[in-house]
Amino acid sequence: ASLPDFPNLTSLHCSPDNARAAASGYGRDILLYDLASACALELRRAVHECHINVIKFAHAQPHLLLTSSFDGS
């Protein structure tokens, strides 16, 4: 099975337990995937005012998702 497409992908990161993946692109949205089922779990829209540069799961606290953008937030 293949994961649903994420347009203009610029960053993809797997959770420390390899259960989920997080994607961001040249846009303001993020998408969480379930890797076992190859399904999209959750789409969050407009999480930043500018495009998202990087998305990652926090290593020490893997339930946290970190993003960066040039919008200063």
Side-chain angles (χ1 to χ4, degrees):
S2 63
L3 295 171
D5 288 340
F6 189 88
N8 301 312
L9 179 70
T10 60
S11 185
L12 181 67
H13 194 250
C14 288
S15 62
D17 62 2
N18 292 320
R20 295 175 316 258
S24 66
Y26 196 76
R28 302 178 327 156
D29 304 337
I30 62 172
L31 184 57
L32 297 177
Y33 296 99
D34 176 74
L35 295 177
S37 66
C39 292
L41 287 175
E42 185 175 356
L43 174 65
R44 293 279 178 119
R45 296 207 178 267
V47 297
H48 280 280
E49 293 179 13
C50 294
H51 75 272
I52 299 167
N53 300 316
V54 176
I55 190 166
K56 292 193 179 238
F57 288 91
H59 181 70
Q61 296 179 348
H63 61 281
L64 295 178
L65 196 57
L66 310 172
T67 62
S68 70
S69 174
F70 289 123
D71 64 9
S73 62

